[in-house]
Amino acid sequence: MKRPALALLAALLLSTAALAAGKTPFVYSATFPYQDVPKDLWPERLVRLKGMGFNTVQIPLPDGRGSVSGSGSASGSEARPAGSGLLDLLRLARQLGLHVWLDGGELTPELQPFAASRGGPILDDLPGGRLSWFPAEETQRRLLLPADFTALRRRLPKQGKPPPWIWAFDAGWTAGSDVRARPSDPSNYLLASRELLAAGVKGLNCSAVVEERTPSGREAALGIGGEARPQAVVLGRNGALLGGVGRLLAAMHPAEEQQAHLVLEPKQKPSPLLRLGLLVSPEPRGPAFLSALNYNDGRAVTGVLSVPDPRTGRRILVNGLNLPARQALLMPINLPLALPEVCPDCSRFAPDERLVWATAELVSVDFENGVLGMEFIAPAEAEMVLEMVSRPQGPLISGARIQQFDWDEKLHRLHLRIPAGPAPDFRSRVGLGVELPDTSVFIKAPRRFILGSTAEVTASFSSPELAARSRLLTPAGWRMKAEPGDPKEIEYRLDVPADAVAGDKVTLAVQVDGKIAQTADVPLAPFCGVRIEPEESLHPRRDTRFPIRPHLATLALPGRRTYTIYLKNNYDEIRTFEFSASGEGLRITPSRLEVSIGANLEREVTLTVGPEGSPPGPGLYRWKLEVRDGPRKIEEPLTLAVIGDGASLAYELDLDRDGFPELVLENRRLRAIFSPRQGGRSTEFWLKDQRLNAFTVRGALESSSALEGRVIGPGVIELRSAEGAANIVRRISLGGRDSFFEVEQTGDASEWTVSAASNIPSADPPGFVDEPSRSAFSIAAPQSRMEVERKPFSTLFRLRFPEEGPRRARFLFEHTEEKK
């Protein structure tokens, strides 16, 4: 359902009372662990959540001490300073039109004025309950069944009914003591969430959507590197549905009795794994939604449904049910087209004109230039019936093709087929020419709006009189100037704010005589996209990479590092950009040039970078790229780690962007990273040639005490306990040609733990061999007693040393040639 951005901004101030009364959208929320997501990723992640249909983010509120609890690290929760980040996050949420659901804690003095300000997106604390579908222990069964929900409801208060708001929903397996959770079938997310909708839940917060830097108990839908996992499609599908009909669902309740059933043909057996339910409106003759859940693993359910018509009270037959295995549908019944919650631009329709029923999910309705457009989620071919005052005059466009429709002159009903939408989101659009419009309006906008630029938008009208009675609605705060040209056209010049959020979409709308005549959704983008290769990343697990910022690359002397810079012109016309690169102590070729790029095309620029001086010196060098388009500028900071010939390098750099630098040891073969703030824990032991990480996200060698770190020599770092704590000294070294790093430590506990990637075990010493690449990891610690615990996704090593004396170990990671 398309709406002007102004209407979205006007709906920001909400209250729990209004939610309960059904006057606001369904609260569809995602937990946003802002303290454990790099701040530079906040805009991109929030835009992703908004694009998935979430209208709210749930965030932890700082306690009275100004900190929030960590979401989980290898040593348990850790209090982290909140700083001013929360206020920045709230401003960003307001800018994107998202509400914020605060989770516990106290409203600090700096937040109180914002919460009370006009447009402050903070919701009141919502009552609700934690609900998780899977048990904590692992089981062999992969898929949810109806019995899972029956057993769950017996444990819930109020006769097995779920609370009105679910503030910690997830349908994935727990990680337990392992490093990651077993992936859940996406159908579990679909069926579990639709069970909640059918039970009358008014608000749903999904707790595992954005992955954090630290280990979490369940697999998130969006990985730390931004990759979408299969359940993200389901969450986005729910968001599309709730964005379209959420206002109606928030006011509905389940029917007291089972009022829908599948009409069985002779000799047809009922399906015990089909669950039907009905959501009804508190208003007489109001709309309803029919819920159908198919728990069969390999059998589709087809046929005819018998349901009561809320308009007449008589039972009607809903034909064309086609529900694939492990699918769910929330099908509309008796939806008046003129209902603002269904279509805010359909006021011209009569009260009796309605969608009688559909066997697909309705996600949006719009009426522009005489065409009634309806978008559905249709996992298989479906059907619908419209009741109209008169026969439509125009063609039916279904699945981008002109189709025939069946018109019943006696009943004034139109029977249409809805084509199946393409996987994975199953979107299908139907457009029906209801009337030949006396007037028409069309918007011509650029493919995208460039931040900080002036955009030109043209509105074309069927008559000069219509143009004179129109106006263009833009987002709040945008400056606009109308420049009439042709009597039937108006050209608008829009100043796009430079501080708008890239990736977001804005809605433009032409309003005529107080009614919306045409809308256009336009994404926002910087003038140029910049992509840099090579770039180094962190690797919390095999299928995940987390790019390091500033961009990090390495150079092994002698030689120079070659970079490829990809510039994408986001304009709809050819543009010339000024490109420059600079860095102290570096020789960069070329350092400056002009680059002309065609409309919406990408062009490569090749640079060579190396240290100046003879001989060139190893170390950490910082430099930057600048791309200019007139007064607009994009700046990308970079770092080059230069390793001497046959030597190793030790340096400090904040690789995970948590505000605290890590200590890095690196040679041509290996990179090992240690975090003093996390007790010296290492989560990265990287074999460069094979692109493999020996450690898992839970890491290795974490001390129970906070440590302070420093570089003490080429290839050597030292970690010490803070003043007043236990006397801990840990020294770690990496030789220039070694395939191992060595650790020597005094003080602290006599047990070390190492969480390594789970691979095929080798014989001796304990470790693993990665068979496809023949890469071997092992630990040599003659003075310790080693215990090995193998899990599905990790191998845990426990090294137990004598209580007295230094502790020493060697961690080896190398590529081995296959024996003939």
Side-chain angles (χ1 to χ4, degrees):
M1 179 164 48
K2 295 182 179 179
R3 296 178 297 176
L6 290 175
L8 192 61
L9 294 174
L12 283 174
L13 289 176
L14 304 178
S15 67
T16 303
L19 289 170
K23 296 179 181 179
T24 62
F26 188 104
V27 176
Y28 188 46
S29 173
T31 297
F32 189 70
Y34 77 104
Q35 291 283 20
D36 215 14
V37 174
K39 191 172 183 178
D40 63 287
L41 292 180
W42 290 358
E44 187 271 341
R45 292 295 187 269
L46 289 179
V47 166
R48 290 281 296 275
L49 295 180
K50 181 180 177 180
M52 292 170 68
F54 290 103
N55 54 32
T56 304
V57 288
Q58 182 199 50
I59 63 173
L61 193 65
D63 59 23
R65 298 184 301 275
S67 62
V68 296
S69 295
S71 56
S73 62
S75 60
S77 296
E78 178 187 357
R80 297 193 294 275
S84 62
L86 181 54
L87 191 56
D88 296 334
L89 178 63
L90 294 179
R91 293 191 180 110
L92 183 58
R94 176 166 60 184
Q95 195 173 2
L96 291 172
L98 293 169
H99 309 299
V100 173
W101 183 347
L102 297 176
D103 181 15
E106 300 177 3
L107 204 62
T108 59
E110 69 171 352
L111 298 180
Q112 289 173 355
F114 183 84
S117 66
R118 182 178 181 182
I122 297 176
L123 297 181
D124 293 341
D125 194 23
L126 300 179
R130 181 179 294 272
L131 197 56
S132 186
W133 293 113
F134 282 112
E137 65 275 6
E138 288 285 351
T139 64
Q140 295 300 316
R141 191 161 50 78
R142 181 173 63 91
L143 300 175
L144 286 176
L145 296 173
D148 294 299
F149 303 100
T150 301
L152 178 65
R153 287 198 172 95
R154 292 196 190 104
R155 300 196 298 268
L156 293 174
K158 298 182 180 180
Q159 294 76 46
K161 294 182 180 180
W165 291 279
I166 306 299
W167 57 273
F169 166 76
D170 190 89
W173 295 100
T174 62
S177 61
D178 210 344
V179 298
R180 54 169 285 196
R182 179 157 56 94
S184 173
D185 193 290
S187 67
N188 288 338
Y189 284 85
L190 177 64
L191 294 168
S193 59
R194 296 311 176 83
E195 284 275 357
L196 289 176
L197 295 184
V201 164
K202 311 300 182 188
L204 183 63
N205 178 71
C206 301
S207 56
V209 182
V210 179
E211 191 168 35
E212 312 164 41
R213 281 179 295 222
T214 53
S216 57
R218 297 178 188 269
E219 184 179 66
L222 299 178
I224 187 73
E227 69 280 5
R229 299 192 173 108
Q231 61 266 39
V233 174
V234 175
L235 300 182
R237 173 177 165 179
N238 287 341
L241 174 70
L242 295 171
V245 298
R247 290 177 180 270
L248 296 177
L249 294 175
M252 290 187 174
H253 61 272
E256 295 182 358
E257 300 178 357
Q258 176 63 29
Q259 298 184 16
H261 64 267
L262 185 68
V263 179
L264 300 176
E265 298 178 357
K267 298 183 180 181
Q268 183 182 4
K269 295 182 179 180
S271 173
L273 297 181
L274 173 67
R275 287 169 70 97
L276 298 175
L278 193 65
L279 287 168
V280 296
S281 171
E283 302 294 332
R285 296 163 55 89
F289 284 90
L290 174 59
S291 171
L293 311 176
N294 183 7
Y295 283 90
N296 288 281
D297 192 15
R299 173 188 169 189
V301 176
T302 60
V304 178
L305 295 167
S306 174
V307 297
D309 185 349
R311 176 69 62 90
T312 64
R314 297 190 299 268
R315 299 194 74 83
I316 59 174
L317 296 180
V318 175
N319 301 304
L321 175 68
N322 190 356
L323 187 59
R326 304 295 297 178
Q327 275 291 337
L329 289 173
L330 198 60
M331 298 170 281
I333 308 290
N334 186 40
L335 253 63
L337 296 176
L339 199 65
E341 292 86 350
V342 175
C343 177
D345 308 325
C346 294
S347 59
R348 54 91 47 216
F349 287 96
D352 288 338
E353 293 186 287
R354 59 176 179 143
L355 175 61
V356 182
W357 54 260
T359 53
E361 295 182 340
L362 181 68
V363 296
S364 71
V365 181
D366 57 65
F367 184 66
E368 296 179 349
N369 295 320
V371 177
L372 179 66
M374 292 170 285
E375 189 171 14
F376 293 91
I377 295 173
E381 187 178 79
E383 300 179 26
M384 70 171 172
V385 170
L386 283 169
E387 192 167 283
M388 311 288 289
V389 170
S390 59
R391 177 188 174 94
Q393 299 181 22
L396 166 68
I397 301 176
S398 179
R401 296 182 180 179
I402 297 179
Q403 306 283 348
Q404 298 297 320
F405 57 81
D406 298 327
W407 172 256
D408 188 321
E409 187 65 41
K410 181 178 179 181
L411 297 177
H412 279 229
R413 287 190 173 182
L414 190 72
H415 181 267
L416 306 176
R417 292 193 176 273
I418 305 170
D425 56 2
F426 307 115
R427 294 289 188 92
S428 182
R429 184 171 177 83
V430 174
L432 181 65
V434 175
E435 62 186 13
L436 297 176
D438 296 329
T439 60
S440 61
V441 180
F442 297 96
I443 296 177
K444 181 181 178 181
R447 188 172 306 186
R448 58 187 65 87
F449 286 150
I450 304 302
L451 301 180
S453 71
T454 298
E456 294 183 357
V457 175
T458 302
S460 301
F461 303 86
S462 57
S463 68
E465 294 77 16
L466 190 67
R469 303 198 308 270
S470 71
R471 66 169 181 154
L472 182 69
L473 301 180
T474 62
W478 283 39
R479 294 196 304 172
M480 176 190 65
K481 182 179 180 181
E483 297 180 350
D486 185 288
K488 295 183 180 181
E489 284 189 354
I490 301 179
E491 292 185 358
Y492 300 94
R493 296 178 63 84
L494 306 178
D495 291 337
V496 183
D499 60 352
V501 183
D504 192 19
K505 287 185 178 181
V506 296
T507 300
L508 304 180
V510 173
Q511 187 183 69
V512 179
D513 299 331
K515 297 179 181 178
I516 301 300
Q518 177 80 346
T519 61
D521 293 327
V522 185
L524 302 173
F527 67 86
C528 182
V530 181
R531 187 163 54 90
I532 302 171
E533 292 182 0
E535 65 170 11
E536 301 291 343
S537 301
L538 300 179
H539 308 83
R541 62 189 229 187
R542 283 290 177 92
D543 61 346
T544 301
R545 60 185 297 272
F546 179 48
I548 295 170
R549 296 292 182 270
H551 294 78
L552 174 67
T554 59
L555 168 63
L557 295 174
R560 290 164 62 81
R561 175 84 263 185
T562 300
Y563 287 86
T564 303
I565 316 299
Y566 298 88
L567 302 179
K568 169 71 182 302
N569 176 17
N570 287 328
Y571 285 99
D572 288 338
E573 59 186 14
I574 187 171
R575 304 289 288 204
T576 299
F577 304 119
E578 296 179 8
F579 178 91
S580 63
S582 61
E584 185 176 353
L586 292 174
R587 185 170 67 256
I588 304 172
T589 308
S591 61
R592 185 178 301 273
L593 70 160
E594 291 187 347
V595 184
S596 296
I597 310 176
N600 301 296
L601 296 180
E602 188 174 68
R603 182 174 170 183
E604 299 179 10
V605 175
T606 301
L607 300 181
T608 58
V609 183
E612 294 180 324
S614 182
L620 199 66
Y621 293 83
R622 300 180 185 273
W623 61 294
K624 67 178 180 179
L625 295 174
E626 284 188 359
V627 184
R628 290 183 176 272
D629 174 43
R632 288 169 290 279
K633 179 180 72 172
I634 294 176
E635 185 173 292
E636 292 285 350
L638 299 95
T639 304
L640 181 64
V642 179
I643 303 171
D645 186 18
S648 58
L649 180 67
Y651 58 91
E652 291 188 25
L653 192 64
D654 184 8
L655 301 173
D656 60 2
R657 288 122 79 186
D658 65 350
F660 300 89
E662 280 74 46
L663 293 172
V664 184
L665 292 173
E666 188 166 2
N667 62 19
R668 286 175 176 266
R669 298 177 179 178
L670 300 172
R671 178 186 298 118
I673 301 170
F674 302 87
S675 173
R677 177 172 172 258
Q678 297 176 4
R681 180 162 64 107
S682 175
T683 58
E684 188 96 357
F685 187 21
W686 184 246
L687 185 58
K688 294 181 180 181
D689 290 345
Q690 302 303 309
R691 305 191 64 78
L692 292 173
N693 184 14
F695 295 159
T696 73
V697 68
R698 293 195 183 274
L701 302 174
E702 181 173 11
S703 170
S704 57
S705 303
L707 302 179
E708 298 175 349
R710 63 186 180 124
V711 175
I712 62 173
V716 185
I717 61 173
E718 186 177 81
L719 299 163
R720 287 179 173 268
S721 52
E723 293 184 9
N727 186 20
I728 302 171
V729 179
R730 177 187 299 173
R731 183 166 293 186
I732 308 170
S733 60
L734 174 67
R737 304 184 186 276
D738 292 340
S739 298
F740 56 85
F741 69 81
E742 293 183 309
V743 182
E744 180 175 345
Q745 178 174 311
T746 58
D748 204 10
S750 58
E751 178 179 308
W752 294 356
T753 60
V754 177
S755 178
S758 180
N759 299 90
I760 301 172
S762 62
D764 187 38
F768 70 73
V769 172
D770 186 87
E771 282 293 338
S773 65
R774 306 298 302 173
S775 299
F777 167 75
S778 61
I779 304 173
Q783 297 176 332
S784 73
R785 185 176 76 256
M786 189 179 302
E787 299 175 359
V788 181
E789 180 183 356
R790 305 196 184 280
K791 303 176 183 180
F793 301 109
S794 66
T795 300
L796 182 65
F797 300 92
R798 292 187 181 90
L799 282 67
R800 303 183 188 275
F801 292 91
E803 292 291 337
E804 302 296 332
R807 291 119 197 188
R808 298 184 180 90
R810 174 178 290 184
F811 296 82
L812 175 70
F813 198 19
E814 62 181 349
H815 176 67
T816 61
E817 296 296 334
E818 188 173 359
K819 296 180 180 179
K820 297 182 180 180

